Amino acid sequence: MIAWRRQYGDVIRRRLSRGDWRGLASLAARWVGTAMAPRLRRPLVGPALATLLVTYRCNLRCRVCDLPDRAVARRRAGDRELGTRELRRVLDDMRAIGSLGVGVTGGEPMLRDDLFDLLGHGARRGLHVHLNTDGFRMDAAAARATLDAGVESVNVSLDGASAGEHDLARGRRGAFDDAIAALAALRAARGDGPAPRLTAVTVLTAHNVDRVEAVARTALAAGADRLGVIPVHDFGQGEPAAAADRVARGLDVLRRLRAEGVLDNSLAYLDLVPRALRGEPSPLRCYAPYASVVVDCYGDVFPCFPFMERKQPIGRLPLARLWRSAAYQRERERLEACRACLWNCHTEMNLVLPQARAARAPVGAAP
């Protein structure tokens, strides 16, 4: 079984449809370069995915996220968010180091007035531009602007099949309505076009793991192309453990949704979900320090998203100089043994790169 998430198949099919053989050869070279980099102890290619947190500010107050509190603390400390020109330079550097794409996220990116300028700049630089949003302010005009900027894919957070469920998880009344309206607006703006691909993303917790089918049907009815899931990680919020029977029921549904073409995640990733919900370490070798980079709105650079969550930067801008530095390489080598998370974007990448056979074997469908 090829352990691909559907997003990866989208990229390959799009290049095939365009007859972009050079692009396909570049993808193959990127795989080889990423696989060989740890052995040769230097990055041979750029990261497959760069992440740009354009703000920590957010309209929501999710129980599992402290970014809005960090935004307040940084402002009180006298720190300011990078301006438009500075973030454009970050995007330029992401392209310069060989990034394939950039995921623009927050906080809530729509709180930045220059968001569409930044999205368009990334697309013009040749990056595959992806947007994460909770749906805030994504009306018909914003959806049109998203398409005009050249965004290839959009994730909209959806943690419940009803306003009661989703709003409770997200900490604000009306959050569910925003998410549903955003999916509908983006789908209407896209029409019959192929992009942007619309994915509703659900954080699996003890409260919703066995309600995922209802979430998926709600998302599809609103206009999503598919559902993606990520198990909650405890970054200090004291996450309660999910009951084993509820996890088992949820996984049965997720596998069925995958067979129906509804789920983005790979089957290999689903095998790891129980482990993640138990708070157990990953069995996989992690390539994140070579395959990803994260830059926040204050100029801090992280090797992966969980290190951003833990407030452990690897250095500061400028990115191009830091990426190639000896200090960054020392951190890559220090992190070679890291098995601390099963974050979906990093883990799905790890699953398509060389692993010990035992690591690839299913680790149990139920906890």
Side-chain angles (χ1 to χ4, degrees):
M1 178 186 65
I2 297 176
W4 281 355
R5 66 188 302 187
R6 295 189 186 279
Q7 280 186 20
Y8 301 161
D10 290 344
V11 173
I12 292 171
R13 282 190 295 272
R14 192 164 298 163
R15 298 200 175 195
L16 280 171
S17 69
R18 297 171 180 169
D20 184 7
W21 306 112
R22 180 178 296 181
L24 289 168
S26 176
L27 289 177
R30 182 178 296 275
W31 185 93
V32 173
T34 305
M36 293 298 296
R39 291 187 181 184
L40 298 180
R41 299 193 176 281
R42 62 187 177 92
L44 302 176
V45 294
L49 178 65
T51 299
L52 180 60
L53 285 94
V54 294
T55 185
Y56 282 2
R57 293 173 290 134
C58 192
N59 57 307
L60 303 182
R61 291 297 180 269
C62 304
R63 181 177 54 81
V64 298
C65 178
D66 72 343
L67 291 185
D69 293 333
R70 287 199 223 176
V72 173
R74 297 293 291 259
R75 187 168 61 248
R76 288 176 176 170
D79 296 332
R80 67 170 184 86
E81 292 182 355
L82 300 177
T84 306
R85 288 185 180 180
E86 293 164 307
L87 289 178
R88 281 184 176 185
R89 284 196 291 270
V90 174
L91 291 164
D92 291 343
D93 269 5
M94 287 177 171
R95 182 59 176 170
I97 66 174
S99 299
L100 178 64
V102 58
V104 177
T105 189
E108 174 45 55
M110 291 289 290
L111 287 170
R112 284 198 67 120
D113 294 335
D114 59 356
L115 176 64
F116 299 116
D117 180 301
L118 296 171
L119 295 173
H121 186 77
R124 289 190 296 273
R125 296 293 287 129
L127 294 165
H128 178 114
V129 178
H130 170 82
L131 174 65
N132 288 299
T133 179
D134 62 40
F136 185 61
R137 294 180 177 172
M138 186 59 77
D139 57 14
R144 184 70 258 168
T146 301
L147 269 69
D148 291 344
V151 173
E152 297 275 1
S153 55
V154 180
N155 283 359
V156 177
S157 301
L158 187 67
D159 290 338
S162 67
E165 292 173 321
H166 181 77
D167 292 358
L168 180 63
R170 294 287 165 174
R172 185 179 70 83
R173 184 175 296 178
F176 177 81
D177 292 339
D178 283 350
I180 296 301
L183 287 168
L186 288 162
R187 188 60 178 257
R190 186 184 77 183
D192 294 330
R197 176 69 64 179
L198 305 177
T199 303
V201 176
T202 297
V203 178
L204 296 177
T205 69
H207 306 288
N208 71 355
V209 66
D210 60 348
R211 291 274 298 148
V212 69
E213 181 164 20
V215 177
R217 302 306 175 197
T218 300
L220 294 174
D225 297 300
R226 59 178 65 131
L227 181 78
V229 299
I230 175 172
V232 67
H233 286 65
D234 193 342
F235 291 113
Q237 72 268 19
E239 194 61 33
D245 59 333
R246 297 185 69 178
V247 174
R249 289 197 300 271
L251 283 175
D252 285 344
V253 170
L254 288 168
R255 291 192 179 93
R256 178 158 45 82
L257 292 173
R258 169 73 192 193
E260 293 175 12
V262 170
L263 192 70
D264 177 57
N265 306 81
S266 67
L267 287 172
Y269 184 72
L270 294 184
D271 285 333
L272 297 169
V273 166
R275 192 178 192 116
L277 289 174
R278 292 194 299 264
E280 296 177 3
S282 169
L284 303 174
R285 177 179 194 171
C286 187
Y287 290 83
Y290 294 95
S292 74
V293 67
V294 179
V295 180
D296 77 3
C297 54
Y298 300 104
D300 288 327
V301 180
F302 306 84
C304 60
F305 211 85
F307 270 69
M308 185 282 301
E309 293 280 3
R310 297 186 182 118
K311 309 176 190 177
Q312 296 176 19
I314 213 165
R316 288 185 58 80
L317 298 176
L319 175 61
R321 185 169 63 192
L322 179 64
W323 175 261
R324 301 183 181 103
S325 69
Y328 204 132
Q329 184 57 31
R330 285 193 296 271
E331 285 298 295
R332 291 189 185 101
E333 293 171 19
R334 185 180 69 84
L335 293 172
E336 283 183 1
C338 183
R339 303 291 185 268
C341 84
L342 284 157
W343 204 266
N344 63 339
C345 53
H346 304 310
T347 302
E348 292 279 18
M349 183 64 66
N350 293 336
L351 284 165
V352 300
L353 287 161
Q355 296 287 340
R357 182 170 297 180
R360 286 190 177 277
V363 295

